[in-house]
Amino acid sequence: MDRSNSRKLLEIKDLQVQFYTPEGTVHAVNGVSYDIHEGEVVAIVGESGSGKSVSMMSILGLIPIPPGEVVSGSATFAGKDLLQMEEKELEDVRGKEIAMIFQDPMTALNPVLTLELQLTEGLRKHLGMTDEESIARGVEMMELVGIPDPARRLKDYPHQFSGGMRQRVMIAMMLACNPTLLIADEPTTALDVTIQAQIVELTIRMRESVKMSMFWITHDLGVVAGMADRVIVMYAGTVVEEAEVDSLYEDPLHPYTHALLGALPRVDQRRDRRLNSIPGAPPNMVVMPQGCPFAPRCEYCFERCVAERPPLDTLAVRHKAACWYDIKTGGPR
């Protein structure tokens, strides 16, 4: 999409989030900055523990405090800083203007409440609907996401639904109030491959029908190729690359992104050839590395990488990367 013709919906600047544990302070998110425009789909990718979910949950006031703490930063949405809002103000934003689909449909729903109670609560709170109106809207949304016999199933409990059906219910619940921004936090993690594809297709279709912006959080670069406008790659609580989706896949500028793409299975790959992997493991976030956090695993690492952390610089048109090495030229920048 053409970002120049759309309004900036959410802008996050220098967000830092820490967790205080008996082992020490965990630096979960370390000064990340990014934004999203109206109607845009932005994918946030990276390994588990890279800070993808924490960055999103912290701006909505969903991390436990303590042990968590938002140390610094701002998250401007509709002219207001979400990080400066009181809980009552955030409650009015969550669900109504910003909705979040959580990654585990098995635990995201309350097991002792019917779907009717859970799906209609937000409609009554945010839109002021009567019981009859909210139930009618609930039935409409259940039908929209492909739940058969929605009027009857609305009376059921979560344990009476399969994992894929529960995730469909979660999507219906999050979209019921027509939010302007949807955050999908690895919504297909606990589902089998066939159901994953159905949920991805459903989410895209629903987003297009209600014309909203969307963050899609995932560790799977293969999923976002056909759905995102822009991709943000995170590693060790930092943004290491940001680019439009075509540019990222055709010309990755950070060694971590390059390695992630190289690890994707390919249909044209010989069956007897092993999949590529990234050696090593992410750093211990209790002890922050002095230089680039990816340096111990990077095949292009040299002295400066270990001593000095690279900034996120614009290296091509609408393409940023945080790296001292130039993959194209094969030498330091």
Side-chain angles (χ1 to χ4, degrees):
M1 64 168 289
D2 186 359
R3 285 158 51 91
S4 62
N5 295 327
S6 60
R7 182 174 64 92
K8 192 177 293 185
L9 187 63
L10 172 68
E11 183 174 22
I12 297 171
K13 287 185 177 180
D14 192 33
L15 179 65
Q16 296 186 52
V17 183
Q18 297 177 355
F19 290 88
Y20 304 103
T21 71
E23 290 74 28
T25 300
V26 177
H27 303 269
V29 179
N30 302 297
V32 303
S33 299
Y34 52 82
D35 57 37
I36 188 169
H37 285 234
E38 288 181 332
E40 188 179 26
V41 179
V42 176
I44 304 178
V45 302
E47 292 174 80
S48 297
S50 60
K52 308 183 302 296
S53 299
V54 171
S55 62
M56 289 286 98
M57 294 179 70
S58 62
I59 68 171
L60 293 177
L62 295 177
I63 62 170
I65 302 175
E69 181 187 8
V70 178
V71 179
S72 69
S74 63
T76 306
F77 177 79
K80 295 183 178 180
D81 187 356
L82 297 173
L83 298 179
Q84 300 301 319
M85 288 185 178
E86 299 292 332
E87 177 61 24
K88 182 63 174 68
E89 292 180 277
L90 275 175
E91 287 179 0
D92 292 335
V93 172
R94 291 194 297 250
K96 181 181 181 182
E97 298 180 69
I98 303 177
M100 189 166 185
I101 302 172
F102 297 96
Q103 62 180 284
D104 189 356
M106 306 301 176
T107 59
L109 295 168
N110 191 322
V112 300
L113 298 179
T114 64
L115 296 187
E116 179 182 304
L117 287 173
Q118 298 185 62
L119 212 158
T120 59
E121 179 185 13
L123 295 168
R124 295 193 300 271
K125 174 181 173 59
H126 295 305
L127 302 184
M129 289 186 175
T130 64
D131 289 349
E132 292 76 15
E133 290 171 336
S134 62
I135 291 172
R137 174 67 171 167
V139 171
E140 177 190 346
M141 293 304 299
M142 293 269 281
E143 185 174 24
L144 206 57
V145 298
I147 304 292
D149 197 6
R152 181 181 65 83
R153 298 307 307 269
L154 207 55
K155 305 291 185 182
D156 289 342
Y157 291 85
H159 73 270
Q160 295 173 275
F161 289 77
S162 66
M165 285 298 184
R166 290 189 211 186
Q167 198 59 288
R168 288 173 181 269
V169 170
M170 283 296 300
I171 294 171
M173 190 182 300
M174 293 303 102
L175 299 183
C177 293
N178 292 327
T180 53
L181 175 61
L182 176 66
I183 301 170
D185 185 7
E186 302 203 39
T188 60
T189 295
L191 308 176
D192 64 57
V193 176
T194 304
I195 304 301
Q196 282 183 23
Q198 293 176 6
I199 294 299
V200 170
E201 191 275 332
L202 172 64
T203 308
I204 295 171
R205 193 175 73 247
M206 294 292 290
R207 187 202 69 83
E208 291 174 345
S209 68
V210 295
K211 305 299 180 187
M212 69 175 69
S213 304
M214 182 170 71
F215 279 114
W216 186 279
I217 302 172
T218 182
H219 60 270
D220 186 357
L221 271 169
V223 171
V224 303
M227 64 180 295
D229 298 304
R230 192 159 46 98
V231 182
I232 294 168
V233 182
M234 290 189 67
Y235 184 81
T238 64
V239 175
V240 297
E241 187 160 4
E242 178 185 334
E244 293 181 351
V245 63
D246 291 342
S247 177
L248 186 97
Y249 279 77
E250 292 171 4
D251 190 23
L253 298 180
H254 195 281
Y256 178 59
T257 311
H258 195 270
L260 285 178
L261 291 170
L264 287 175
R266 299 170 57 95
V267 294
D268 60 348
Q269 187 169 301
R270 286 172 45 189
R271 296 182 63 182
D272 61 346
R273 182 182 172 187
R274 294 176 61 88
L275 289 173
N276 294 328
S277 62
I278 305 175
N284 180 355
M285 298 309 292
V286 174
V287 183
M288 283 294 293
Q290 181 179 350
C292 174
F294 188 62
R297 309 173 70 185
C298 181
E299 62 179 302
Y300 306 110
C301 177
F302 62 103
E303 293 83 358
R304 191 179 186 184
C305 303
V306 179
E308 187 179 350
R309 175 166 296 194
L312 185 68
D313 288 335
T314 300
L315 303 179
V317 178
R318 291 185 292 276
H319 198 144
K320 300 177 181 179
C323 186
W324 296 125
Y325 186 85
D326 191 330
I327 293 179
K328 289 184 176 179
T329 63
R333 293 192 184 281

